[in-house]
Amino acid sequence: MRKSVSVLLSSVFVFSLIAATGCSTAETRTTKINVPTAQCMMCANNIEKALKKVDGVSEVAVDMDVKVVSVTYDATRTEVAALEKAITGAGYQANQAAADSAVYAKLPDCCKVPQTQ
């Protein structure tokens, strides 16, 4: 009986040790997504909020000077297409994916691309 308890405790310890050392399948990646229709810091905030709702996204940085979003995410939980969909769903173009036109129409004027005359 004592030997069985000892073996059981040893097994539990080994499995706990394996779990604690990070036998994780996470695959962290960072990608850059062009957001050419973003116009202001409100746009940047909207894009950041939309991306942070995507499962697996850990970091978002919007650079309005070059209109590029850097996104760090777990590739086992999401993919670039889902990131682009989150941005387009917020009303902004993401790479070559067009913004959701109904959402874009509801954005404040400062978030819309100026019309040329």
Side-chain angles (χ1 to χ4, degrees), residues 46-67:
N46 291 339
I47 291 167
E48 184 176 344
K49 284 179 193 175
L51 286 168
K52 286 188 174 181
K53 291 179 183 176
V54 177
D55 184 42
V57 171
S58 57
E59 292 180 40
V60 177
V62 182
D63 184 340
M64 288 302 296
D65 291 334
V66 292
K67 297 187 180 186

Side-chain angles (χ1 to χ4, degrees), residues 4 12 27 33 38 49 53 57 60 63 65-66 83 106 108 110-111 114 117:
S4 296
V12 169
E27 189 177 324
I33 299 173
K49 284 179 193 175
K53 291 179 183 176
V57 171
V60 177
D63 184 340
D65 291 334
V66 292
L83 304 175
K106 294 177 183 176
C110 64
C111 293
Q117 299 190 7

Side-chain angles (χ1 to χ4, degrees), residues 16-91:
S16 298
L17 185 60
I18 289 171
T21 57
C23 246
S24 173
T25 58
E27 189 177 324
T28 302
R29 293 187 186 168
T30 300
T31 191
K32 295 189 183 299
I33 299 173
N34 294 311
V35 288
T37 58
Q39 300 298 306
C40 63
M41 289 311 295
M42 185 181 298
C43 298
N45 289 334
N46 291 339
I47 291 167
E48 184 176 344
K49 284 179 193 175
L51 286 168
K52 286 188 174 181
K53 291 179 183 176
V54 177
D55 184 42
V57 171
S58 57
E59 292 180 40
V60 177
V62 182
D63 184 340
M64 288 302 296
D65 291 334
V66 292
K67 297 187 180 186
V68 171
V69 182
S70 295
V71 186
T72 302
Y73 63 100
D74 179 349
T76 65
R77 294 166 56 195
T78 194
E79 58 188 12
V80 174
L83 304 175
E84 291 174 337
K85 185 176 179 180
I87 294 169
T88 61

Side-chain angles (χ1 to χ4, degrees), residues 33-38 81 83-105 107 113:
I33 299 173
N34 294 311
V35 288
T37 58
L83 304 175
E84 291 174 337
K85 185 176 179 180
I87 294 169
T88 61
Y92 304 92
Q93 181 179 337
N95 291 327
Q96 298 305 312
D100 179 311
S101 59
V103 176
Y104 178 81
L107 291 175
V113 177

